[in-house]
Amino acid sequence: MLRILSALSCLLLCFPQGHAFAPAAKSRNVVLVTLDGVRWQEMFGGADPAVMKFLARGAPVEGTSLYRRYWAPTTEERRAKIMPFLWGTLLTQHAWIAGDPAKASHVESSNRFHTSYPGYAEILTGRAHDGVIVDNTKQRVPVPTVLEFVRRELRLPKSAVAVFASWDRFNDIVEHEPDAIVVNAGFAPYASNDAALRELSTAQAEMVAWPDERFDYPTQRFALDYLRREHPRLLYIGLGDTDDYAHDKKYELMLESLHRADRFLAALWTQLQAMSSYRDNTVLIVTTDHGRGNMAEYWDTHNEELTSARNIWLAVAAPGDVRRGELEGGPTLYQHQIAATIAQAFGLDFDRAYPGAGKPIPLPAGAP
Ligand SMILES: [Zn+2]
Protein backbone atom coordinates (compact mmCIF):
# COMPACT_ATOMS: atom_id res chain seq x y z
CA MET A 1 0.00 0.00 0.00
CA LEU A 2 2.78 2.35 1.00
CA ARG A 3 4.54 1.58 -2.23
CA ILE A 4 1.37 2.36 -4.22
CA LEU A 5 0.94 5.65 -2.38
CA SER A 6 4.50 6.73 -2.98
CA ALA A 7 4.26 5.70 -6.62
CA LEU A 8 1.08 7.76 -6.95
CA SER A 9 2.58 10.81 -5.27
CA CYS A 10 5.64 10.44 -7.48
CA LEU A 11 3.41 10.37 -10.55
CA LEU A 12 1.93 13.64 -9.35
CA LEU A 13 5.09 15.29 -8.08
CA CYS A 14 8.09 13.79 -9.78
CA PHE A 15 7.23 14.93 -13.32
CA PRO A 16 7.05 18.48 -14.64
CA GLN A 17 3.48 19.70 -14.90
CA GLY A 18 1.62 18.42 -17.92
CA HIS A 19 3.81 15.37 -18.31
CA ALA A 20 2.75 13.44 -15.24
CA PHE A 21 0.58 10.97 -17.16
CA ALA A 22 2.26 11.11 -20.54
CA PRO A 23 2.98 7.52 -21.59
CA ALA A 24 6.63 6.59 -21.79
CA ALA A 25 7.83 6.33 -25.37
CA LYS A 26 7.87 2.58 -25.79
CA SER A 27 9.11 0.57 -28.68
CA ARG A 28 6.26 -0.97 -30.53
CA ASN A 29 6.28 -4.46 -32.01
CA VAL A 30 4.28 -6.36 -34.60
CA VAL A 31 3.58 -10.08 -34.70
CA LEU A 32 1.98 -11.43 -37.88
CA VAL A 33 0.52 -14.95 -38.00
CA THR A 34 -0.89 -16.58 -41.13
CA LEU A 35 -2.94 -19.78 -41.16
CA ASP A 36 -2.69 -21.11 -44.69
CA GLY A 37 -5.90 -21.50 -46.66
CA VAL A 38 -8.38 -21.31 -43.78
CA ARG A 39 -11.85 -20.55 -45.15
CA TRP A 40 -14.03 -17.89 -43.56
CA GLN A 41 -16.71 -20.58 -43.39
CA GLU A 42 -14.81 -22.51 -40.70
CA MET A 43 -13.31 -19.42 -39.07
CA PHE A 44 -16.76 -17.92 -38.40
CA GLY A 45 -18.91 -21.03 -38.41
CA GLY A 46 -16.79 -23.93 -37.16
CA ALA A 47 -17.41 -27.36 -38.68
CA ASP A 48 -19.49 -26.72 -41.83
CA PRO A 49 -22.71 -28.78 -41.85
CA ALA A 50 -22.80 -28.78 -45.66
CA VAL A 51 -19.26 -30.20 -45.85
CA MET A 52 -20.01 -32.78 -43.15
CA LYS A 53 -23.06 -33.94 -45.11
CA PHE A 54 -21.08 -34.05 -48.35
CA LEU A 55 -18.30 -36.09 -46.74
CA ALA A 56 -20.74 -38.56 -45.14
CA ARG A 57 -22.00 -39.50 -48.65
CA GLY A 58 -25.55 -40.26 -47.61
CA ALA A 59 -24.73 -41.89 -44.27
CA PRO A 60 -25.88 -40.14 -41.08
CA VAL A 61 -23.31 -37.56 -39.99
CA GLU A 62 -24.13 -38.26 -36.34
CA GLY A 63 -22.02 -41.41 -36.48
CA THR A 64 -18.78 -39.69 -37.43
CA SER A 65 -15.95 -38.74 -35.08
CA LEU A 66 -16.01 -35.33 -36.75
CA TYR A 67 -19.58 -34.87 -35.50
CA ARG A 68 -18.78 -36.05 -31.98
CA ARG A 69 -15.75 -33.82 -31.75
CA TYR A 70 -16.83 -30.60 -33.38
CA TRP A 71 -20.59 -30.48 -33.80
CA ALA A 72 -22.78 -28.03 -31.86
CA PRO A 73 -26.15 -26.52 -32.81
CA THR A 74 -25.05 -22.91 -33.35
CA THR A 75 -22.26 -21.37 -35.39
CA GLU A 76 -21.01 -19.56 -32.28
CA GLU A 77 -20.67 -22.81 -30.34
CA ARG A 78 -19.10 -24.66 -33.26
CA ARG A 79 -16.41 -22.09 -33.93
CA ALA A 80 -15.60 -21.83 -30.22
CA LYS A 81 -15.05 -25.61 -30.12
CA ILE A 82 -12.33 -25.26 -32.72
CA MET A 83 -10.83 -21.95 -31.62
CA PRO A 84 -11.69 -21.45 -27.93
CA PHE A 85 -8.86 -18.99 -27.30
CA LEU A 86 -9.59 -16.83 -30.33
CA TRP A 87 -13.32 -16.57 -29.67
CA GLY A 88 -13.33 -16.84 -25.88
CA THR A 89 -10.37 -14.61 -25.00
CA LEU A 90 -8.64 -12.79 -27.82
CA LEU A 91 -11.78 -11.47 -29.54
CA THR A 92 -13.67 -10.73 -26.32
CA GLN A 93 -10.83 -8.91 -24.55
CA HIS A 94 -8.24 -7.70 -27.06
CA ALA A 95 -9.05 -7.96 -30.76
CA TRP A 96 -11.49 -7.59 -33.64
CA ILE A 97 -12.04 -9.76 -36.69
CA ALA A 98 -13.36 -8.84 -40.13
CA GLY A 99 -14.60 -11.00 -42.99
CA ASP A 100 -17.87 -12.60 -41.89
CA PRO A 101 -20.35 -12.08 -44.74
CA ALA A 102 -23.22 -12.73 -42.30
CA LYS A 103 -22.17 -9.49 -40.58
CA ALA A 104 -21.77 -7.65 -43.92
CA SER A 105 -18.02 -7.59 -43.28
CA HIS A 106 -15.69 -8.42 -46.16
CA VAL A 107 -11.96 -9.02 -46.54
CA GLU A 108 -10.59 -9.89 -49.97
CA SER A 109 -7.36 -10.68 -51.69
CA SER A 110 -6.90 -8.74 -54.93
CA ASN A 111 -4.57 -11.10 -56.81
CA ARG A 112 -6.13 -13.17 -59.58
CA PHE A 113 -4.99 -16.56 -58.47
CA HIS A 114 -6.24 -17.19 -54.90
CA THR A 115 -3.23 -19.38 -54.21
CA SER A 116 -0.45 -19.24 -51.65
CA TYR A 117 2.54 -17.45 -53.13
CA PRO A 118 0.38 -14.78 -54.82
CA GLY A 119 -1.41 -14.29 -51.47
CA TYR A 120 1.73 -14.08 -49.33
CA ALA A 121 3.36 -11.72 -51.84
CA GLU A 122 0.27 -9.51 -51.63
CA ILE A 123 0.39 -9.55 -47.82
CA LEU A 124 4.10 -8.76 -47.62
CA THR A 125 4.55 -6.32 -50.51
CA GLY A 126 1.18 -4.55 -50.36
CA ARG A 127 0.09 -5.38 -53.87
CA ALA A 128 -0.67 -8.19 -56.28
CA HIS A 129 2.00 -9.29 -58.76
CA ASP A 130 -0.27 -11.01 -61.25
CA GLY A 131 2.14 -10.72 -64.17
CA VAL A 132 5.00 -12.31 -62.26
CA ILE A 133 3.73 -14.54 -59.46
CA VAL A 134 1.09 -16.74 -61.03
CA ASP A 135 1.50 -19.87 -58.94
CA ASN A 136 3.70 -21.39 -56.23
CA THR A 137 6.75 -21.92 -58.46
CA LYS A 138 10.01 -21.23 -56.67
CA GLN A 139 11.21 -17.71 -57.41
CA ARG A 140 12.56 -14.81 -55.38
CA VAL A 141 9.92 -12.20 -54.45
CA PRO A 142 10.39 -9.47 -57.11
CA VAL A 143 10.41 -6.43 -54.77
CA PRO A 144 11.37 -5.74 -51.13
CA THR A 145 8.84 -6.87 -48.53
CA VAL A 146 7.53 -4.88 -45.59
CA LEU A 147 9.75 -7.05 -43.39
CA GLU A 148 12.85 -5.73 -45.14
CA PHE A 149 11.37 -2.22 -45.27
CA VAL A 150 10.83 -2.07 -41.50
CA ARG A 151 14.32 -3.33 -40.77
CA ARG A 152 15.88 -0.83 -43.16
CA GLU A 153 13.83 2.19 -42.08
CA LEU A 154 14.29 1.60 -38.35
CA ARG A 155 17.93 0.55 -38.83
CA LEU A 156 17.31 -2.62 -36.88
CA PRO A 157 19.80 -5.43 -36.48
CA LYS A 158 19.04 -8.47 -38.61
CA SER A 159 17.89 -10.43 -35.55
CA ALA A 160 15.06 -7.93 -34.91
CA VAL A 161 13.02 -9.07 -37.93
CA ALA A 162 12.37 -12.80 -38.05
CA VAL A 163 10.24 -15.31 -39.92
CA PHE A 164 9.37 -18.84 -38.84
CA ALA A 165 7.37 -20.78 -41.39
CA SER A 166 6.46 -24.37 -42.15
CA TRP A 167 6.58 -24.10 -45.94
CA ASP A 168 9.99 -24.18 -47.60
CA ARG A 169 8.90 -21.58 -50.20
CA PHE A 170 8.94 -18.88 -47.52
CA ASN A 171 12.71 -18.71 -48.03
CA ASP A 172 11.97 -16.93 -51.33
CA ILE A 173 8.74 -15.14 -50.40
CA VAL A 174 9.70 -13.10 -47.36
CA GLU A 175 12.84 -11.31 -48.56
CA HIS A 176 13.86 -9.83 -51.88
CA GLU A 177 17.46 -9.64 -50.80
CA PRO A 178 18.80 -12.93 -49.42
CA ASP A 179 19.89 -12.74 -45.76
CA ALA A 180 18.19 -9.40 -45.16
CA ILE A 181 16.27 -10.86 -42.21
CA VAL A 182 16.21 -14.04 -40.09
CA VAL A 183 14.32 -16.83 -41.88
CA ASN A 184 13.72 -20.33 -40.59
CA ALA A 185 11.42 -22.14 -43.04
CA GLY A 186 10.77 -25.62 -44.33
CA PHE A 187 12.98 -28.19 -42.63
CA ALA A 188 15.68 -25.68 -41.70
CA PRO A 189 17.52 -26.64 -38.52
CA TYR A 190 17.13 -24.43 -35.48
CA ALA A 191 20.11 -23.78 -33.24
CA SER A 192 19.35 -23.58 -29.54
CA ASN A 193 20.97 -24.09 -26.15
CA ASP A 194 17.85 -25.94 -25.13
CA ALA A 195 18.34 -29.71 -25.47
CA ALA A 196 14.63 -30.35 -26.17
CA LEU A 197 14.64 -27.86 -29.04
CA ARG A 198 17.83 -29.34 -30.45
CA GLU A 199 16.14 -32.73 -30.40
CA LEU A 200 13.08 -31.28 -32.13
CA SER A 201 15.27 -29.64 -34.75
CA THR A 202 16.73 -33.05 -35.61
CA ALA A 203 13.42 -34.88 -35.34
CA GLN A 204 11.49 -32.57 -37.68
CA ALA A 205 13.22 -34.10 -40.71
CA GLU A 206 12.30 -37.61 -39.54
CA MET A 207 8.56 -36.88 -39.46
CA VAL A 208 7.62 -35.91 -42.97
CA ALA A 209 4.10 -35.76 -44.36
CA TRP A 210 4.77 -33.33 -47.25
CA PRO A 211 8.02 -32.93 -49.15
CA ASP A 212 8.40 -29.15 -48.87
CA GLU A 213 6.56 -28.42 -45.65
CA ARG A 214 7.26 -29.43 -42.08
CA PHE A 215 4.55 -29.83 -39.48
CA ASP A 216 3.55 -26.62 -37.73
CA TYR A 217 4.61 -27.86 -34.30
CA PRO A 218 8.37 -27.31 -34.76
CA THR A 219 7.68 -23.97 -36.44
CA GLN A 220 5.64 -22.89 -33.43
CA ARG A 221 8.15 -24.08 -30.85
CA PHE A 222 11.10 -22.46 -32.63
CA ALA A 223 9.21 -19.17 -33.02
CA LEU A 224 8.27 -19.01 -29.33
CA ASP A 225 11.84 -19.78 -28.32
CA TYR A 226 13.18 -17.10 -30.63
CA LEU A 227 10.69 -14.58 -29.29
CA ARG A 228 11.80 -15.33 -25.73
CA ARG A 229 15.51 -15.12 -26.49
CA GLU A 230 15.90 -12.49 -29.21
CA HIS A 231 12.97 -10.13 -28.64
CA PRO A 232 12.33 -9.36 -32.34
CA ARG A 233 10.49 -6.14 -33.15
CA LEU A 234 8.75 -7.75 -36.10
CA LEU A 235 7.98 -11.46 -36.02
CA TYR A 236 6.13 -13.39 -38.71
CA ILE A 237 4.91 -16.94 -38.15
CA GLY A 238 3.55 -18.76 -41.21
CA LEU A 239 1.64 -21.96 -40.38
CA GLY A 240 0.63 -24.45 -43.04
CA ASP A 241 -0.96 -27.67 -41.70
CA THR A 242 -4.49 -26.43 -42.40
CA ASP A 243 -3.86 -26.06 -46.13
CA ASP A 244 -1.99 -29.34 -46.48
CA TYR A 245 -4.72 -31.35 -44.80
CA ALA A 246 -7.34 -29.59 -46.90
CA HIS A 247 -5.52 -30.52 -50.12
CA ASP A 248 -5.30 -34.06 -48.75
CA LYS A 249 -9.11 -33.89 -48.34
CA LYS A 250 -8.82 -34.60 -44.60
CA TYR A 251 -11.51 -32.33 -43.18
CA GLU A 252 -11.26 -33.51 -39.60
CA LEU A 253 -7.45 -33.19 -39.57
CA MET A 254 -7.78 -29.73 -41.10
CA LEU A 255 -10.09 -28.72 -38.25
CA GLU A 256 -7.74 -30.25 -35.70
CA SER A 257 -4.86 -28.25 -37.21
CA LEU A 258 -6.92 -25.12 -36.81
CA HIS A 259 -7.59 -26.15 -33.21
CA ARG A 260 -3.85 -26.55 -32.62
CA ALA A 261 -3.22 -23.18 -34.28
CA ASP A 262 -5.60 -21.73 -31.68
CA ARG A 263 -3.55 -23.35 -28.91
CA PHE A 264 -0.47 -21.78 -30.44
CA LEU A 265 -2.13 -18.36 -30.51
CA ALA A 266 -2.92 -18.79 -26.81
CA ALA A 267 0.70 -19.67 -26.03
CA LEU A 268 1.96 -16.79 -28.16
CA TRP A 269 -0.38 -14.28 -26.54
CA THR A 270 0.46 -15.50 -23.04
CA GLN A 271 4.16 -15.16 -23.78
CA LEU A 272 3.74 -11.67 -25.24
CA GLN A 273 1.79 -10.56 -22.17
CA ALA A 274 4.45 -11.97 -19.86
CA MET A 275 7.23 -9.91 -21.47
CA SER A 276 7.29 -6.23 -20.50
CA SER A 277 8.67 -5.11 -23.87
CA TYR A 278 5.62 -6.63 -25.61
CA ARG A 279 2.77 -6.27 -23.13
CA ASP A 280 0.23 -3.64 -24.29
CA ASN A 281 2.81 -2.57 -26.82
CA THR A 282 2.38 -5.05 -29.66
CA VAL A 283 0.10 -5.27 -32.67
CA LEU A 284 -0.96 -8.84 -33.42
CA ILE A 285 -2.34 -9.59 -36.89
CA VAL A 286 -3.79 -12.98 -37.80
CA THR A 287 -4.96 -13.71 -41.33
CA THR A 288 -4.80 -16.15 -44.24
CA ASP A 289 -3.32 -16.20 -47.73
CA HIS A 290 -6.46 -17.38 -49.54
CA GLY A 291 -9.88 -18.88 -49.06
CA ARG A 292 -11.25 -21.98 -50.78
CA GLY A 293 -14.37 -23.09 -52.61
CA ASN A 294 -17.69 -22.01 -51.19
CA MET A 295 -19.69 -25.07 -52.28
CA ALA A 296 -19.36 -28.15 -50.07
CA GLU A 297 -17.76 -30.23 -52.85
CA TYR A 298 -15.05 -27.59 -53.35
CA TRP A 299 -14.20 -27.04 -49.69
CA ASP A 300 -10.71 -28.50 -50.28
CA THR A 301 -9.88 -26.57 -53.46
CA HIS A 302 -8.74 -23.10 -54.44
CA ASN A 303 -7.67 -21.78 -57.81
CA GLU A 304 -8.09 -18.92 -60.24
CA GLU A 305 -11.56 -20.05 -61.35
CA LEU A 306 -12.95 -20.36 -57.83
CA THR A 307 -13.51 -16.66 -57.20
CA SER A 308 -15.04 -17.39 -53.78
CA ALA A 309 -11.49 -18.21 -52.65
CA ARG A 310 -10.66 -14.50 -52.70
CA ASN A 311 -12.83 -14.02 -49.60
CA ILE A 312 -10.61 -14.13 -46.54
CA TRP A 313 -10.62 -12.82 -42.94
CA LEU A 314 -8.40 -10.70 -40.75
CA ALA A 315 -8.05 -10.38 -36.96
CA VAL A 316 -6.17 -7.53 -35.30
CA ALA A 317 -5.28 -6.80 -31.66
CA ALA A 318 -3.80 -3.33 -31.32
CA PRO A 319 -3.06 -1.33 -28.16
CA GLY A 320 -5.62 1.43 -27.76
CA ASP A 321 -8.04 -0.13 -30.25
CA VAL A 322 -11.28 -0.68 -28.34
CA ARG A 323 -13.09 -2.69 -31.02
CA ARG A 324 -13.87 -6.26 -29.98
CA GLY A 325 -15.27 -9.32 -31.70
CA GLU A 326 -16.73 -9.29 -35.18
CA LEU A 327 -16.79 -6.05 -37.14
CA GLU A 328 -20.19 -5.38 -38.67
CA GLY A 329 -20.49 -3.65 -42.02
CA GLY A 330 -17.74 -1.21 -42.91
CA PRO A 331 -15.69 -0.93 -46.07
CA THR A 332 -14.19 -4.03 -47.65
CA LEU A 333 -10.67 -4.58 -46.33
CA TYR A 334 -7.99 -5.91 -48.65
CA GLN A 335 -5.07 -8.25 -48.27
CA HIS A 336 -2.89 -5.61 -49.96
CA GLN A 337 -3.47 -3.25 -46.98
CA ILE A 338 -1.67 -5.48 -44.50
CA ALA A 339 1.90 -4.42 -45.41
CA ALA A 340 1.14 -0.73 -44.90
CA THR A 341 -0.75 -1.55 -41.69
CA ILE A 342 2.35 -3.29 -40.32
CA ALA A 343 4.55 -0.33 -41.31
CA GLN A 344 2.06 2.12 -39.80
CA ALA A 345 2.33 0.39 -36.43
CA PHE A 346 6.01 1.38 -36.46
CA GLY A 347 5.18 4.93 -37.56
CA LEU A 348 6.38 4.21 -41.12
CA ASP A 349 4.72 5.06 -44.42
CA PHE A 350 4.91 2.00 -46.67
CA ASP A 351 2.52 3.15 -49.37
CA ARG A 352 4.51 6.33 -49.84
CA ALA A 353 7.72 4.35 -50.26
CA TYR A 354 6.00 1.97 -52.67
CA PRO A 355 3.35 3.78 -54.71
CA GLY A 356 0.71 1.29 -55.72
CA ALA A 357 0.76 -0.47 -52.35
CA GLY A 358 -2.50 -0.62 -50.42
CA LYS A 359 -3.28 2.00 -47.80
CA PRO A 360 -2.97 1.08 -44.12
CA ILE A 361 -6.03 0.01 -42.19
CA PRO A 362 -6.51 2.83 -39.68
CA LEU A 363 -5.52 1.76 -36.17
CA PRO A 364 -5.36 4.02 -33.12
CA ALA A 365 -2.06 5.87 -32.91
CA GLY A 366 0.19 4.23 -30.37
CA ALA A 367 3.68 5.12 -29.32
CA PRO A 368 5.83 4.30 -32.34
ZN1 LIG B 1 -3.36 -24.34 -50.96
Side-chain angles (χ1 to χ4, degrees):
M1 186 60 173
L2 223 138
R3 210 185 286 167
I4 295 170
L5 275 178
S6 67
L8 263 180
S9 56
C10 185
L11 265 180
L12 296 170
L13 302 171
C14 302
F15 293 88
Q17 206 179 2
H19 293 89
F21 295 100
K26 284 179 169 179
S27 66
R28 195 163 182 188
N29 319 285
V30 175
V31 179
L32 169 67
V33 180
T34 52
L35 312 178
D36 197 305
V38 172
R39 301 196 309 166
W40 63 262
Q41 289 86 340
E42 279 77 23
M43 182 51 66
F44 296 106
D48 183 342
V51 175
M52 291 169 74
K53 201 168 163 218
F54 167 73
L55 294 174
R57 298 179 194 285
V61 294
E62 289 80 0
T64 62
S65 64
L66 177 61
Y67 181 91
R68 285 193 297 276
R69 183 115 194 243
Y70 288 121
W71 181 253
T74 69
T75 55
E76 287 79 8
E77 290 170 282
R78 286 201 298 279
R79 69 194 186 188
K81 278 195 168 187
I82 293 171
M83 304 198 81
F85 170 74
L86 183 89
W87 289 104
T89 301
L90 195 65
L91 289 169
T92 55
Q93 296 174 25
H94 310 285
W96 53 262
I97 188 166
D100 185 357
K103 298 283 193 309
S105 173
H106 302 280
V107 185
E108 293 183 7
S109 61
S110 56
N111 72 76
R112 249 176 58 199
F113 302 103
H114 326 121
T115 45
S116 284
Y117 196 158
Y120 291 121
E122 184 173 336
I123 290 172
L124 296 173
T125 70
R127 54 215 186 275
H129 299 273
D130 284 349
V132 185
I133 303 168
V134 302
D135 56 22
N136 290 334
T137 301
K138 182 176 168 63
Q139 61 172 317
R140 179 74 44 193
V141 69
V143 294
T145 65
V146 68
L147 308 171
E148 297 170 281
F149 173 78
V150 168
R151 186 193 164 196
R152 189 181 71 217
E153 293 296 311
L154 297 181
R155 295 188 171 81
L156 298 172
K158 182 179 171 184
S159 63
V161 180
V163 179
F164 288 81
S166 301
W167 187 27
D168 180 57
R169 190 67 70 252
F170 272 85
N171 285 301
D172 301 293
I173 296 174
V174 297
E175 55 183 8
H176 177 61
E177 197 176 300
D179 274 335
I181 57 175
V182 172
V183 185
N184 181 290
F187 292 89
Y190 178 71
S192 172
N193 294 328
D194 184 315
L197 287 169
R198 277 205 307 276
E199 178 71 28
L200 185 60
S201 178
T202 307
Q204 61 173 337
E206 303 295 327
M207 300 178 288
V208 179
W210 310 286
D212 57 354
E213 187 146 3
R214 68 183 166 203
F215 286 114
D216 286 338
Y217 182 69
T219 303
Q220 296 166 353
R221 288 283 305 276
F222 300 159
L224 290 178
D225 182 70
Y226 189 87
L227 173 63
R228 197 160 32 229
R229 285 195 299 114
E230 299 289 341
H231 296 203
R233 294 283 303 280
L234 175 52
L235 175 63
Y236 174 24
I237 300 141
L239 303 181
D241 286 358
T242 43
D243 186 72
D244 289 305
Y245 283 125
H247 285 296
D248 289 352
K249 301 183 189 296
K250 306 279 190 196
Y251 192 64
E252 188 170 353
L253 282 170
M254 186 278 293
L255 292 179
E256 287 184 14
S257 304
L258 192 53
H259 184 57
R260 286 197 299 272
D262 182 73
R263 280 215 307 258
F264 167 70
L265 289 174
L268 173 66
W269 185 260
T270 303
Q271 189 167 316
L272 290 171
Q273 295 304 299
M275 299 168 78
S276 60
S277 52
Y278 292 93
R279 187 174 48 246
D280 303 327
N281 194 26
T282 300
V283 174
L284 172 67
I285 299 174
V286 188
T287 188
T288 189
D289 53 333
H290 58 78
R292 322 187 84 84
N294 192 28
M295 312 260 290
E297 58 267 47
Y298 297 126
W299 75 270
D300 56 320
T301 311
H302 59 98
N303 54 45
E304 187 178 350
E305 284 73 40
L306 279 174
T307 53
S308 58
R310 76 158 67 101
N311 298 108
I312 56 171
W313 48 268
L314 170 74
V316 177
D321 193 335
V322 297
R323 292 172 289 179
R324 300 286 178 264
E326 287 184 89
L327 295 193
E328 300 198 19
T332 297
L333 302 178
Y334 289 94
Q335 190 169 50
H336 62 232
Q337 295 182 270
I338 295 171
T341 306
I342 292 169
Q344 171 190 253
F346 292 106
L348 302 173
D349 198 340
F350 187 78
D351 51 312
R352 198 169 61 190
Y354 296 101
K359 302 280 175 228
I361 297 162
L363 297 177

